Amino acid sequence: MTNGAGKWSVGAELGRELREIRERRGKTLSDVALAKVGSRQKLSRMETGQGPWRYADVKVLCELYGLSALDTALFCDMALASSETTFSDPSNPARFGLYLRMEGRAQALTVVTIDVIHGLFQTPEYHAAMQQDWIYPSPEHAEQQFKQRQARQIAFWNRQDVHIESVMSEAALKRVVGSRSIMKEQMEHLHLLGQRDGVKIRFIPQDFPSAPGLPGQFTLISTNIGDAAYVEHIDGGRILSNPTVVTDFRNAASLASKASRDIGEWQ
């Protein structure tokens, strides 16, 4: 995994988001300053992750840029957590709000899973079969989640600079999700993706003496502002940036990779 340029932080990530949005809206720092959000110097400090972050300032910026209610809520939450080393992404319908942004532009990803294939590698049929018995608040939520997964994959795999390593237990390959025909198509999809430049798909054989590096599912994210780890849970997920914690996850991923084999060896 490639190291980022420095230590990742919620404030630095928020600054990058707001800077990119401002530039897409065609506004200069002076334009924003004239809207009485703050001085050019203050806005520059915010956009470079130096703060100070205030909920009210971020909310005004979101209104100025015409952001949705979900994006506004996410960025305001980030402002409140800007001094923390962890950030909790909320559950549906705003689930993975920050993580998806980071995933889509990461310099490199390392994903470790146990008994399921990671979302970026799932075929639509595999994903639908996995979700068919999940209880959603409404059919609209279920449809939204499915569409989000497909949009997420398109955004990621259409990149020309993809760098990702996936390590999973062999159990994920043997577990029949939906039907054997769905699994056959899913395996063909994995083999095809595994041939792409910058993509490594590996599995740990079930007869391996132990399962090093598999304390649970996690993702290591390398960005141009630093590295972070992402751990998913039933209500969403947590992004962790404490250097010691990130190093522990990186060591776990390294052990898992050393114990694994290339997907091309699995029949």
Side-chain angles (χ1 to χ4, degrees), residues 21-213:
I21 292 170
R22 174 179 61 77
E23 291 173 347
R24 287 200 300 271
R25 295 294 192 271
K27 296 183 181 295
T28 66
L29 286 174
S30 296
D31 293 333
V32 180
L34 287 173
K36 298 184 179 179
V37 178
S39 67
R40 292 183 74 260
Q41 293 76 14
K42 176 183 177 180
L43 294 168
S44 179
R45 289 195 300 272
M46 292 170 66
E47 290 188 351
T48 54
Q50 301 173 56
W53 295 103
R54 294 180 60 245
Y55 180 99
D57 291 338
V58 173
K59 192 171 189 305
V60 170
L61 284 174
C62 290
E63 292 172 352
L64 179 65
Y65 299 150
L67 301 187
S68 68
L70 286 178
D71 283 344
T72 299
L74 171 63
F75 293 151
C76 287
D77 285 347
M78 290 174 69
L80 293 174
S82 59
S83 62
E84 305 294 329
T85 58
T86 66
F87 180 76
S88 293
D89 252 357
S91 60
N92 283 328
R95 190 173 187 178
F96 309 136
L98 176 55
Y99 171 75
L100 282 187
R101 287 174 165 82
M102 295 175 65
E103 178 187 82
R105 62 177 175 229
Q107 293 178 324
L109 289 175
T110 301
V111 298
V112 176
T113 60
I114 301 177
D115 62 348
V116 296
I117 294 167
H118 188 266
L120 283 173
F121 297 91
Q122 294 175 5
T123 63
E125 293 76 16
Y126 181 99
H127 174 63
M130 276 195 61
Q131 300 298 316
Q132 65 180 356
D133 293 325
W134 189 260
I135 300 175
Y136 287 97
S138 68
E140 290 73 24
H141 280 79
E143 180 67 16
Q144 181 186 38
Q145 206 276 345
F146 185 82
K147 289 181 177 179
Q148 184 187 62
R149 175 64 56 90
Q150 303 314 308
R152 166 192 180 189
Q153 289 187 352
I154 292 171
F156 185 82
W157 292 111
N158 280 352
R159 291 176 52 177
Q160 300 301 312
D161 59 344
V162 168
H163 290 281
I164 183 170
E165 178 176 5
S166 172
V167 182
M168 70 192 86
S169 166
E170 188 176 12
L173 306 179
K174 290 185 173 181
R175 178 187 179 194
V176 178
V177 175
S179 67
R180 295 195 180 278
S181 62
I182 287 176
M183 290 306 299
K184 182 177 183 294
E185 181 181 331
Q186 176 65 71
M187 290 309 305
E188 292 172 349
H189 186 60
L190 287 179
H191 283 289
L192 186 63
L193 288 176
Q195 296 173 22
R196 285 190 52 165
D197 291 340
V199 179
K200 295 180 181 179
I201 304 176
R202 306 183 64 82
F203 70 96
I204 298 177
Q206 285 187 302
D207 60 1
F208 196 84
S210 63

